[in-house]
């Protein structure tokens, strides 16, 4: 499998010319690319109530949307045309999808979201629309026609169960075949219609809302204010004067509180800590599979030495300066142990080798929680 995700472009060229700026088509980005999973497995995922799935149909301009889980029997009666099934978070359940997501590691993990797969019969698609996030659309089996353009008129179809542009004027169209890749910045209108029965993988990114970032930051900061006693002492007013209107809030009280608030300072460290904790937090429905037959710390140490470890595809791990964040938790570390964990965060695995006792202990705890597994791509077993 030969890979030229960005064609002849380097990652810096991609960022300066395309990222969040304009669409890009790369033919044969992954040559020899084949579907990540058999169709029957995809239908099984769509029948799981822990997995987000949707079916979109259209018929003479009328759109319908159904949310999963779907009974497996529903897939025995798939219409011959104008029908598509979409399954979110494929990377959390399929190793090849996790690997595919990691091919995009020239983009920070803090911005990465998930791999969605869509399976469509001829004519199937979700209609012309815009997304608020960057996306790479990788074609699997079959062909899909993508039409792309700027939004000239944002009006949406009335009474449709999903956001569909009423007036879409494509500026370009591309017939995509296995291994072809289309990058779309947020806000570009696009419409992908299956020519044959086909599969498309969307590698999606996350961009938290500005309001969400602010309120989440303040929420966590306020917890730290009470936990860490950041502002000890009580309100004092030795200069209090007699009041004729006792229900009035004294102006001096407002001034004193304003002065106290103006002492609030957020350091870059506070902000990096917030981003690390927040962005490494697993999504609400994520469940880690703990090892069924867990090995003792000594057996784990031996296995680590021989086979290394690999992060679960559900684990989110980031780092910033001395802090390492894993699944919402922060560790403040220095020295060799930090370097090893940064390697683990970047590469998602640690090779077989000798590791210090404190690190072995930490990795064993994570193993017990189902955050990582024994064995890395580097081991030879
Ligand atoms: C699809 O694969 O059908 C939809 C993906 C998208 O338009 O974002
Ligand atoms: Co889209």
């Amino acid at each position: 499998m030969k890979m030229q995700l960005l064609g002849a472009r380097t990652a810096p060229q991609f960022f300066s010319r395309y990222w969040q700026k304009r669409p890009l088509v790369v033919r044969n980005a992954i040559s020899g690319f084949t579907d990540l999973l058999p169709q029957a497995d995809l239908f099984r995922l769509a029948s799981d109530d822990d997995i987000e799935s949707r079916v979109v149909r259209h018929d003479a301009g009328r759109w319908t949307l159904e949310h999963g889980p779907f009974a497996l029997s529903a897939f025995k009666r798939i219409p011959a045309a104008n029908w598509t099934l979409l399954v979110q978070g494929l990377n959390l359940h399929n190793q090849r999808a996790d690997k595919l997501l990691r091919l995009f590691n020239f983009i920070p993990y803090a911005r990465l979201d998930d791999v969605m797969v869509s399976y469509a019969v001829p004519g199937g698609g979700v209609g012309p629309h815009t997304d608020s996030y960057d996306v790479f659309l990788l074609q699997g089996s079959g062909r899909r026609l993508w039409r792309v353009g700027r939004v000239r008129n944002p009006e949406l179809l009335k009474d449709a169960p999903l956001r569909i542009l009423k007036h879409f004027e494509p500026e370009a169209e591309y017939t995509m075949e296995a291994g072809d890749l289309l990058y779309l910045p947020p806000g570009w209108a696009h419409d992908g219609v299956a020519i044959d029965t086909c599969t498309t993988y969307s590698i999606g990114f996350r961009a938290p809302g500005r309001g969400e970032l602010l309120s989440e930051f303040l929420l966590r900061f306020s917890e730290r204010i009470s936990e860490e006693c950041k502002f000890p002492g009580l309100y004092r007013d030795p200069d209090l004067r007699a009041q004729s209107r006792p229900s009035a809030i004294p102006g001096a009280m407002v001034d004193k509180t304003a002065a106290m608030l103006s002492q609030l300072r957020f350091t870059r460290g506070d902000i990096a800590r917030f981003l690390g904790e927040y962005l490494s937090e697993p999504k609400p429905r994520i469940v880690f599979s703990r090892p069924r037959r867990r090995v003792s710390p000594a057996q784990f140490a031996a296995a680590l030495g021989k086979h290394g470890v690999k992060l679960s595809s559900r684990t989110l791990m980031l780092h910033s300066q001395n802090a390492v964040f894993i699944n919402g938790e922060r560790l403040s570390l220095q020295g060799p142990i930090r370097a090893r964990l940064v390697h683990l965060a970047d590469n998602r695995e640690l090779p077989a080798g000798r590791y210090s006792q404190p690190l072995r202990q930490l990795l064993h705890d994570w193993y017990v929680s189902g955050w990582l597994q024994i064995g890395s791509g580097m081991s030879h077993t």
Side-chain angles (χ1 to χ4, degrees):
M1 208 165 71
K2 191 163 166 280
M3 215 171 43
Q4 274 193 303
L5 271 192
L6 302 173
R9 289 157 206 86
T10 62
Q13 283 166 345
F14 169 74
F15 284 117
S16 67
R17 191 160 164 74
Y18 300 96
W19 178 254
Q20 302 225 312
K21 297 168 194 75
R22 54 178 67 80
L24 170 68
V25 171
V26 182
R27 297 287 175 192
N28 246 327
I30 306 183
S31 65
F33 180 72
T34 54
D35 277 326
L36 300 180
L37 72 175
Q39 203 192 80
D41 289 2
L42 179 63
F43 294 162
R44 218 166 293 129
L45 292 179
S47 70
D48 187 324
D49 54 11
D50 278 333
I51 299 176
E52 206 183 315
S53 58
R54 286 165 291 161
V55 162
V56 178
R57 302 175 64 165
H58 65 101
D59 199 11
R62 225 181 75 82
W63 292 84
T64 56
L65 165 69
E66 269 182 276
H67 289 279
F70 299 96
L72 278 177
S73 56
F75 300 118
K76 298 215 169 89
R77 296 174 266 109
I78 296 176
N82 305 346
W83 178 100
T84 182
L85 164 71
L86 304 112
V87 175
Q88 212 71 49
L90 184 65
N91 53 300
L92 305 173
H93 310 281
N94 178 285
Q95 285 294 319
R96 282 191 67 203
D98 181 48
K99 272 214 165 112
L100 173 65
L101 185 65
R102 304 293 161 196
L103 293 182
F104 292 82
N105 63 5
F106 54 93
I107 297 163
Y109 287 159
R111 291 283 270 113
L112 220 50
D113 191 3
D114 73 344
V115 178
M116 179 188 84
V117 55
S118 69
Y119 169 82
V121 297
V126 298
H129 66 281
T130 59
D131 295 311
S132 355
Y133 307 99
D134 305 82
V135 66
F136 285 92
L137 297 151
L138 176 67
Q139 189 57 27
S141 61
R143 290 168 305 159
R144 186 187 284 265
L145 176 69
W146 281 103
R147 298 185 305 147
V148 174
R150 271 166 277 243
V151 177
R152 307 216 185 271
N153 180 345
E155 198 183 335
L156 299 178
L157 273 191
K158 281 199 194 72
D159 306 322
L162 56 174
R163 294 177 58 254
I164 297 179
L165 290 166
K166 193 166 171 189
H167 312 280
F168 173 45
E169 297 168 39
E171 295 169 45
E173 60 174 57
Y174 312 98
T175 299
M176 307 291 280
E177 297 187 29
D180 291 347
L181 186 68
L182 168 63
Y183 163 73
L184 287 174
W188 276 69
H190 54 287
D191 186 18
V193 179
I195 299 174
D196 318 301
T197 292
C198 80
T199 315
T200 306
Y201 301 89
S202 310
I203 295 93
F205 293 83
R206 86 189 268 202
R210 285 154 50 100
E212 171 193 334
L213 276 180
L214 262 175
S215 65
E216 289 289 340
F217 173 78
L218 291 174
L219 197 75
R220 281 144 209 266
F221 198 77
S222 80
E223 278 164 14
R224 281 180 61 198
I225 286 179
S226 40
E227 270 164 27
E228 296 171 16
C229 262
K230 274 182 176 288
F231 293 90
L234 301 177
Y235 177 81
R236 300 196 61 225
D237 50 2
D239 46 359
L240 188 66
R241 303 252 174 94
Q243 292 263 336
S244 56
R245 292 250 164 94
S247 65
I249 295 169
M253 193 170 201
V254 177
D255 293 340
K256 278 177 201 289
T257 308
M260 205 178 73
L261 282 174
S262 70
Q263 284 170 19
L264 258 185
R265 289 282 177 275
F266 310 123
T267 63
R268 280 180 65 80
D270 292 328
I271 293 161
R273 170 176 170 168
F274 155 68
L275 287 173
E277 289 176 351
Y278 182 54
L279 297 176
S280 71
E281 218 162 62
K283 286 187 194 166
R285 288 204 291 186
I286 295 293
V287 182
F288 289 92
S289 328
R290 292 167 182 265
R292 247 174 262 141
R293 263 191 55 244
R294 72 156 109 132
V295 301
S296 70
Q299 288 167 317
F300 177 82
L304 170 65
K306 237 170 132 186
H307 308 296
V309 285
K310 184 175 183 317
L311 289 181
S312 152
S313 52
R314 298 172 193 180
T315 286
L316 297 175
M317 194 172 181
L318 301 170
H319 81 271
S320 170
Q321 293 180 335
N322 289 337
V324 172
F325 307 92
I326 179 163
N327 295 331
E329 290 184 12
R330 179 182 62 111
L331 288 103
S332 184
L333 298 159
Q334 263 155 357
I337 187 163
R338 177 190 170 278
R340 297 281 206 178
L341 290 178
V342 167
H343 178 96
L344 175 63
D346 279 339
N347 299 283
R348 313 272 311 162
E349 58 183 32
L350 279 177
R354 284 168 61 87
Y355 294 97
S356 67
Q357 210 288 323
L359 181 57
R360 291 199 307 257
Q361 175 64 51
L362 197 57
L363 295 174
H364 182 259
D365 291 347
W366 293 348
Y367 156 77
V368 170
S369 305
W371 292 2
L372 52 78
Q373 285 119 31
I374 295 167
S376 72
M378 315 270 232
S379 61
H380 301 287
T381 51

